Amino acid sequence: MSTPTPDQTLPEGAFLQGLQSLRAACSNCNLRELCLPVGLSADEMQRVDELVRTRRQVLRGEHLFRTGDAFHSLVAVRTGFFKTKVLLADGREQVTGFHMAGEVIGLDGIGNERHTCDAVALEDSEVCVLPYGRLAGLSREVEALHRRLHQIMSSEIVREHGVMLLLGSMRAGERVVAFLLNLSRRLAMRGYSERDLHLRMTREELGSYLGVKLETVSRALSKLQADGLLEVSRRNVRLLDLPALRALLAKSE
Amino acid sequence: MSTPTPDQTLPEGAFLQGLQSLRAACSNCNLRELCLPVGLSADEMQRVDELVRTRRQVLRGEHLFRTGDAFHSLVAVRTGFFKTKVLLADGREQVTGFHMAGEVIGLDGIGNERHTCDAVALEDSEVCVLPYGRLAGLSREVEALHRRLHQIMSSEIVREHGVMLLLGSMRAGERVVAFLLNLSRRLAMRGYSERDLHLRMTREELGSYLGVKLETVSRALSKLQADGLLEVSRRNVRLLDLPALRALLAKSE
DNA sequence: CGGCAGATTGAAGTCCATCAAACGTCGTGG
DNA sequence: CCACGACGTTTGATGGACTTCAATCTGCCG
């Protein structure tokens, strides 16, 4: 493997720290069916390879970007787990999402060239850096990439509609179930068990995402366990009765 | 004015109802500084004119689109006021946004070619129909349009982050103030008073958006009136002390 | 004028937040 | 190796914010 040539167009600073010497490429990435290159032909994917040259390691607790940072790149999660959060003037914070392998982070920065939220690794992670300028340029040549970018952004909007529904219209117990089923589905899509979940976030972070306090999350989980629908042990959750859990959402009372 | 030639590439069906014989064009639209063509040169705007040929009238209470409808076009609000909402299986609904002149609706449909929410006119309105296929095609030729589309979607993501913060981290009174200030700012951007607001939605719709019950909205408004910060009379709100209202959010307690 | 939808206000109840204590787990250092 | 402490989690008791239920009021439109 040859010594990598640093990409001259990459932003200086934070993004160059932790640069990996691995050759990044979508073409031989096992996430290509989930991630940015969905819908691209082999040829098209190779053109994307040209600009997805940089991988970055992000350690647990490290920020990928912060509110106010200049926006240069989107980021695709390769391994690991992230949270994004927004802050209120008085320090209150709201977790806006949890992000796992194959998901793209940083879309918030496109609009005004600055990030408007923080992204923090919840475990040691690796991401692919997607320089936005080059991505946008290529997407004008490769229609499938253009479509895919629009699709990714649109899906993020739809995802957030779901969170708004959760925060605005569900009670605490329902929110927890909705979260678990969503996580279960995303794990299943990646070939993991849909029953055995390992939560990567604290009860407090989960509570923030769900708009309730950490004690409420804990109580809701205990209640579901008492009802025989799942087993909880710290951050490990086993879903014992998926149909019943789904029914809790589909038909509330 | 000559008889308009119906655009052959437009989708059949619902969108053709209420077709206006007015010649739609961004170039001579007074919203061009707020709407889709922001950042486009005169030449570029004329190219957009070619595909923004159709205006549609939407009466109060009418749906612009519904969950499940096939997605063909984005829609720019020209006059009037819309809400978008998502539905839960048991009938509960969550208003995800209120949309006024210059704002683009329907971004949720891009991802999977179907709409995932309902858009309803809250007063008699007029919209410009933006056939998505042609818009995407043109955006590959006109870079400024490409950027603008990305920007619109990114801004929508950022807006929703703000709503999530509101729903997840604020108390009822703060939510109402945040909503009023947001509306005030958007009206001011359009040349209207930032103090005199006319709410276009019922207390119930506003409560749904804010994740509280209609009575709670009503009480919060009454409280703000009692505190001398505003005057309410049915759907008319006059903000009497904007700095104090802003301070309520900037520094809670 | 009468009826109705929407808005306000009050009283009672529920869900969740808050405060508090105890427990388990993990990593560190004695 | 165990003790210790920090951190995260669980669980209980109490209180508060918002919901629910209900009555009344207002303005609008037929």
Side-chain angles (χ1 to χ4, degrees):
Chain A
M1 196 181 289
S2 63
T3 314
T5 332
D7 187 328
Q8 298 306 322
T9 71
L10 279 175
E12 297 299 316
F15 271 76
L16 289 179
Q17 292 163 10
L19 232 164
Q20 282 296 89
S21 51
L22 284 160
R23 156 158 282 186
C26 295
S27 296
N28 51 25
C29 175
N30 56 359
L31 292 168
R32 63 184 180 277
E33 298 301 331
L34 281 170
C35 190
L36 178 65
V38 167
L40 271 63
S41 70
D43 284 358
E44 291 164 341
M45 214 180 293
Q46 278 184 6
R47 300 198 61 185
V48 175
D49 288 347
E50 295 303 314
L51 56 79
V52 187
R53 281 290 184 213
T54 315
R55 287 204 186 140
R56 188 186 155 198
Q57 197 112 34
V58 188
L59 298 179
R60 185 162 178 275
E62 252 190 285
H63 275 72
L64 191 53
F65 52 78
R66 288 170 195 274
T67 304
D69 283 357
F71 167 77
H72 297 296
S73 304
L74 297 176
V75 158
V77 180
R78 214 183 109 67
T79 62
F81 204 80
F82 288 83
K83 70 171 174 183
T84 46
K85 61 178 182 182
V86 289
L87 293 153
L88 205 50
D90 62 0
R92 278 178 285 184
E93 79 178 44
Q94 173 69 29
V95 171
T96 54
F98 296 112
H99 312 278
M100 56 200 294
E103 295 174 347
V104 176
I105 314 187
L107 303 167
D108 60 280
I110 295 174
N112 61 357
E113 318 243 301
R114 303 225 157 253
H115 283 288
T116 62
C117 63
D118 289 24
V120 184
L122 295 184
E123 59 181 15
D124 293 353
S125 303
E126 196 182 36
V127 300
C128 296
V129 177
L130 315 172
Y132 176 69
R134 300 182 64 196
L135 197 62
L138 185 58
S139 80
R140 295 178 55 223
E141 295 177 34
V142 178
E143 190 187 354
L145 179 62
H146 184 273
R147 271 204 307 273
R148 178 61 180 150
L149 275 176
H150 277 209
Q151 189 187 45
I152 287 172
M153 290 200 266
S154 175
S155 300
E156 175 65 7
I157 290 169
V158 172
R159 181 189 76 78
E160 294 186 0
H161 282 178
V163 178
M164 289 168 64
L165 178 60
L166 179 148
L167 289 171
S169 303
M170 292 185 187
R171 15 201 64 217
E174 295 169 331
R175 297 183 197 188
V176 171
V177 172
F179 165 77
L180 291 173
L181 290 175
N182 174 274
L183 185 61
S184 162
R185 191 174 49 73
R186 287 153 72 201
L187 288 171
M189 283 175 62
R190 286 159 180 78
Y192 297 102
S193 165
E194 62 177 357
R195 295 176 59 246
D196 292 312
L197 318 180
H198 182 71
L199 308 184
R200 296 316 191 344
M201 72 293 295
T202 66
R203 298 287 189 267
E204 183 169 23
E205 288 163 333
L206 182 48
S208 168
Y209 177 66
L210 299 177
V212 298
K213 292 293 153 185
L214 66 97
E215 297 94 330
T216 303
V217 174
S218 184
R219 278 186 242 270
L221 287 171
S222 298
K223 171 84 163 48
L224 290 166
Q225 178 168 244
D227 293 348
L229 300 180
L230 51 76
E231 282 171 3
V232 205
S233 169
R234 283 183 71 73
R235 297 200 183 172
N236 298 300
V237 178
R238 168 168 295 168
L239 306 182
L240 297 176
D241 193 343
L242 277 164
L245 288 166
R246 296 198 181 102
L248 280 185
L249 286 195
K251 183 98 196 68
S252 293
E253 77 239 51
Chain B
M1 196 180 292
S2 62
T3 314
T5 332
D7 187 328
Q8 297 305 324
T9 72
L10 278 175
E12 297 300 316
F15 272 76
L16 290 179
Q17 292 163 9
L19 233 165
Q20 282 294 89
S21 51
L22 285 160
R23 157 157 282 188
C26 295
S27 298
N28 51 24
C29 175
N30 56 358
L31 292 168
R32 63 183 180 278
E33 298 301 330
L34 280 170
C35 191
L36 178 66
V38 166
L40 271 62
S41 70
D43 283 358
E44 291 165 341
M45 214 178 297
Q46 277 183 7
R47 301 198 60 186
V48 175
D49 288 347
E50 294 303 313
L51 57 80
V52 187
R53 282 286 183 218
T54 316
R55 286 202 187 141
R56 187 183 156 200
Q57 198 112 34
V58 188
L59 297 179
R60 183 163 179 278
E62 250 189 286
H63 275 72
L64 190 54
F65 53 78
R66 289 170 193 273
T67 303
D69 282 357
F71 167 77
H72 296 296
S73 304
L74 297 177
V75 158
V77 180
R78 215 182 109 68
T79 62
F81 204 80
F82 289 84
K83 69 171 174 182
T84 47
K85 60 179 182 181
V86 288
L87 293 154
L88 205 49
D90 63 359
R92 279 178 285 184
E93 77 178 44
Q94 174 69 30
V95 172
T96 54
F98 297 111
H99 311 278
M100 55 199 294
E103 296 174 346
V104 175
I105 313 186
L107 302 168
D108 59 280
I110 295 174
N112 62 358
E113 319 244 299
R114 303 224 156 254
H115 283 288
T116 61
C117 63
D118 289 25
V120 184
L122 296 184
E123 59 182 17
D124 293 353
S125 303
E126 194 181 37
V127 299
C128 296
V129 177
L130 315 172
Y132 175 69
R134 301 182 63 196
L135 197 61
L138 186 57
S139 81
R140 295 179 56 222
E141 295 175 34
V142 178
E143 190 186 354
L145 179 62
H146 184 273
R147 271 204 307 275
R148 177 58 180 152
L149 274 176
H150 278 209
Q151 188 187 47
I152 287 172
M153 289 199 266
S154 176
S155 300
E156 175 65 7
I157 290 170
V158 172
R159 180 188 77 77
E160 294 186 0
H161 282 178
V163 178
M164 288 167 65
L165 178 61
L166 179 148
L167 289 171
S169 303
M170 293 185 185
R171 11 203 70 217
E174 295 170 331
R175 297 183 197 190
V176 171
V177 172
F179 166 78
L180 292 173
L181 290 175
N182 174 274
L183 186 61
S184 160
R185 190 173 50 73
R186 287 153 74 201
L187 288 171
M189 283 175 62
R190 286 159 180 78
Y192 297 102
S193 164
E194 61 176 358
R195 294 175 59 249
D196 293 313
L197 318 179
H198 180 71
L199 308 184
R200 298 307 181 11
M201 72 293 294
T202 66
R203 297 288 189 267
E204 183 169 23
E205 288 163 332
L206 182 48
S208 169
Y209 177 65
L210 299 176
V212 298
K213 292 292 154 186
L214 66 98
E215 296 94 331
T216 303
V217 173
S218 184
R219 280 186 242 268
L221 287 171
S222 298
K223 170 83 162 48
L224 290 165
Q225 178 168 246
D227 293 348
L229 300 180
L230 50 76
E231 283 171 3
V232 204
S233 171
R234 285 185 70 74
R235 297 201 184 173
N236 298 301
V237 177
R238 168 167 294 168
L239 307 182
L240 297 175
D241 192 345
L242 276 165
L245 287 167
R246 295 198 181 101
L248 279 186
L249 285 196
K251 184 102 196 63
S252 294
E253 75 239 55

